[in-house]
């Protein structure tokens, strides 16, 4: 049996949000930002880019909703990283709305 497009979207959304959860748990468990900064930033930026530059609204909603959920947690660093991630989402959406410029 092959999966439907919606099933694939749900699987992808679950996988991407699990990656976000893993990144946020690294922040929660760490005392120093320099021990996780590059890896967490890469994961969250990739999730933001994937969610907002694709055409899959289910994945985009899942990622953005999860980032919003992290805005109310107790740890400041997690809230800051989530705000940064939402900023990337907005940036990618704005970029995708700009008309393409031809150099010809």
């Amino acid at each position: 049996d092959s999966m439907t497009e919606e099933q694939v979207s749900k699987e992808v959304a679950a996988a991407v949000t699990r990656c976000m959860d893993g990144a946020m748990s690294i922040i929660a468990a760490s005392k120093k930002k320099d021990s996780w900064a590059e890896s967490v930033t890469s994961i969250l930026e990739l999730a933001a880019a994937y969610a907002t530059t694709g055409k899959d609204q289910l994945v985009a909603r899942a990622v953005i909703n999860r980032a919003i959920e992290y805005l109310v947690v107790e740890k400041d660093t997690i809230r800051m990283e989530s705000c940064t991630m939402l900023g990337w989402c907005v940036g990618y959406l704005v970029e995708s709305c700009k008309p393409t410029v031809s150099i010809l």
Side-chain angles (χ1 to χ4, degrees):
D1 251 350
S2 62
M3 294 172 62
T4 66
E5 197 172 318
E6 184 178 357
Q7 289 170 319
V8 171
S9 291
K10 286 179 181 179
E11 289 285 325
V12 170
V16 174
T17 54
R18 278 194 303 272
C19 289
M20 291 171 63
D21 292 345
M24 294 304 190
S25 69
I26 290 169
I27 296 171
S30 300
K31 300 275 188 250
K32 293 181 170 179
K33 182 174 182 172
D34 59 354
S35 67
W36 56 259
E38 189 176 338
S39 60
V40 166
T41 299
S42 296
I43 291 167
L44 297 180
E45 192 168 7
L46 178 62
Y50 185 82
T52 54
T53 57
K55 301 292 182 223
D56 195 329
Q57 289 186 10
L58 196 145
V59 174
R61 262 193 304 264
V63 167
I64 291 169
N65 286 341
R66 184 60 56 93
I68 290 169
E69 288 172 18
Y70 281 117
L71 294 177
V72 296
V73 299
E74 191 173 325
K75 189 160 179 139
D76 290 343
T77 314
I78 292 175
R79 290 195 312 266
M80 289 186 299
E81 291 300 316
S82 192
C83 284
T84 300
M85 183 181 183
L86 288 169
W88 289 326
C89 288
V90 170
Y92 291 129
L93 288 170
V94 168
E95 280 298 311
S96 70
C97 292
K98 288 183 178 177
T100 52
V101 177
S102 173
I103 59 169
L104 300 177

